[in-house]
Amino acid sequence: NFTKLTKPKPSTTADGAANGFWEPGQYFIKALTPSTFEYNMLGPGDIGAWALLALDHPSILAGESLSIAADSLTGAEMAAGATAATAFGPGVRFDYTEQPRLLFETLAFVEPTFVYISGLQRWNSDGGQYDLPKKDVEELRKLHAGLTWQEHLNKDGLEQFTATMAELLPDVVKS
């Protein structure tokens, strides 16, 4: 979700072949929240491990719910982690920028997908928060140390995040 508006600029070797990295420069992680909002993050590959833990210990969770996360980061921390990731190549920097609330409120009138997105933006911009603060995420990591944001980026880059919904957005908001 954090990089759907990011347009990677593939880097090439002297002979014009793709080298798997991005052109050096500044890129943006754009999201719906102020830069201080803390996201609970979990890579898709970690869901199975949590399901296995729950199935192995059904009496603990009977009639209960379990919140899970492998990382808890603000937008600024996500940008720092992406900058530190090795997957993009040297000289690639990320900054975090909050998307204007009016953008998603307006798009909700045009595209039904954005009704949900604008509601989510209202929730997290008006004081909503996830139920796992950083200290609780660290405790969960003792049970299963899933991939952190930076580890995920080093392993899979941004490809999982850039392929969806970007085509729905106007070009003026992409960068």
Side-chain angles (χ1 to χ4, degrees), residues 3 21 26 51 70 91 111 118 143 156 160:
T3 58
F21 292 121
Q26 183 176 8
E111 169 60 46
S118 63
L143 294 173
D156 295 325
Q160 170 188 346

Side-chain angles (χ1 to χ4, degrees), residues 90-167:
V92 173
R93 298 176 320 282
F94 285 87
D95 283 317
Y96 178 85
T97 183
E98 179 182 357
Q99 293 302 286
R101 188 172 183 158
L102 181 59
L103 170 68
F104 293 103
E105 296 287 349
T106 303
L107 288 172
F109 288 99
V110 180
E111 169 60 46
T113 303
F114 290 101
V115 172
Y116 165 76
I117 293 171
S118 63
L120 181 61
Q121 185 177 31
R122 270 184 250 120
W123 173 78
N124 54 33
S125 295
D126 294 344
Q129 59 187 15
Y130 289 104
D131 58 344
L132 293 173
K134 286 182 186 287
K135 66 179 181 58
D136 291 348
V137 172
E138 288 305 315
E139 287 297 312
L140 281 175
R141 291 184 58 75
K142 293 176 184 175
L143 294 173
H144 174 68
L147 287 180
T148 64
W149 168 248
Q150 187 174 338
E151 291 167 341
H152 175 80
L153 293 176
N154 284 331
K155 179 180 173 283
D156 295 325
L158 291 174
E159 292 162 14
Q160 170 188 346
F161 299 104
T162 56
T164 61
M165 276 183 39
E167 68 278 358

